[in-house]
Amino acid sequence: MVERRRAEFRSIGFNAPAHLFHPPHGSVQASHSCPLFLLRAFRLLPRSSPRALPRPLPPDSLKHLPTPPPALVHLLPPTDWDGTEEEWAQRAKRDKKAYGVNLTVITSKAKISKKATVRNEVRRRIRDAVRVLVMRGAVVQDGELRCDKAREGPRKWLVPGFSYMVHPTLDVYRAPFPQLVDEVGNALRTVKERIEAKQLEQEWATLTASLPDSPPSEPTPPKTE
């Protein structure tokens, strides 16, 4: 039996800096609204300052990774470093860690309910819907959930380096779970397509700005018979 990676959700605390909830103007972000919730996605910023630069990678991370022994070839892809079976077993165990999903569900007393149990259930249902989509590739067929290996995987649903924020309504608590999964899947696909389109626009604008201005073409003399 193949062991699957699990999803580990990371949320922004309510006491976090304001720039984590409201990204700066001009940054790549996208949103999608439906009767059940509003989904926002924006680039994940450092907690210290919105203008802080990411830390450079440590030198050890740039080294070549080991080549697994024959007994553990099926665990990891081959690389250029010769290691022992114990080292590869430790690396295989480390690589089975949970996949981190930056997802924050905003549940307020005014919009959801004054009961904490209802608000917790709304957050749990949203996370469960994202989990079955990302890690199992869930698809709704005839009102039932089914797993599709061709649709599973974080890269098919989420954009790396982006934080997702959901503003649900009370309808999330009442809606059938297959309907919720379908709505969350549509929202994740729409947001992913919009973010990728904006990133391509920015890359194209940067590329065209770096190109030198072409000299004006000389007019072609008229043909003489």
Side-chain angles (χ1 to χ4, degrees):
M1 180 178 180
V2 180
E3 184 177 351
R4 298 174 180 266
R5 294 176 65 184
R6 59 187 179 86
E8 183 180 86
F9 293 97
R10 306 166 184 169
S11 60
I12 302 175
F14 292 101
N15 57 347
H19 71 270
L20 296 180
F21 294 94
H22 305 283
H25 180 70
S27 60
V28 178
Q29 52 185 313
S31 63
H32 176 79
S33 178
C34 68
L36 297 180
F37 55 84
L38 168 66
L39 175 64
R40 297 169 51 218
F42 46 86
R43 190 173 296 279
L44 186 62
L45 298 175
R47 295 184 61 88
S48 57
S49 171
R51 297 184 180 180
L53 297 178
R55 297 180 180 179
L57 293 175
D60 295 340
S61 63
L62 303 179
K63 295 181 180 179
H64 293 292
L65 297 176
T67 300
L72 299 175
V73 170
H74 65 283
L75 295 180
L76 296 170
T79 51
D80 300 330
W81 177 66
D82 294 329
T84 62
E85 293 190 6
E86 291 77 10
E87 293 173 339
W88 269 96
Q90 292 178 1
R91 184 182 171 208
K93 183 178 180 180
R94 182 176 66 251
D95 288 350
K96 292 179 181 178
K97 293 189 300 183
Y99 182 85
V101 180
N102 298 298
L103 178 68
T104 304
V105 184
I106 306 297
T107 54
S108 62
K109 294 181 180 180
K111 295 184 178 181
I112 303 298
S113 175
K114 294 182 179 180
K115 297 181 179 180
T117 54
V118 176
R119 299 196 302 271
N120 293 337
E121 179 67 14
V122 169
R123 285 193 292 267
R124 186 191 65 81
R125 286 170 65 87
I126 291 289
R127 291 171 180 170
D128 287 346
V130 175
R131 181 182 292 109
V132 296
L133 283 167
V134 174
M135 309 310 296
R136 297 294 183 267
V139 59
V140 181
Q141 295 180 353
D142 299 332
E144 297 182 357
L145 289 178
R146 302 184 184 276
C147 296
D148 187 0
K149 292 184 178 180
R151 293 161 52 96
E152 68 180 20
R155 294 300 179 92
K156 295 183 181 296
W157 300 95
L158 306 175
V159 183
F162 276 72
S163 179
Y164 291 80
M165 186 170 295
V166 182
H167 301 265
T169 62
L170 187 58
D171 294 335
V172 174
Y173 182 78
R174 304 166 179 166
F177 189 66
Q179 178 186 355
L180 178 61
V181 172
D182 191 29
E183 292 289 350
V184 172
N186 294 335
L188 291 178
R189 282 196 302 267
T190 302
V191 167
K192 186 175 184 293
E193 293 174 357
R194 292 177 180 176
I195 290 177
E196 291 176 347
K198 292 182 179 180
Q199 288 177 340
L200 288 177
E201 291 178 359
Q202 286 188 351
E203 293 176 1
W204 177 254
T206 304
L207 179 61
T208 54
S210 62
L211 294 177
D213 297 335
S214 58
S217 58
E218 298 181 356
T220 305
K223 296 182 180 181
T224 57
E225 297 180 357

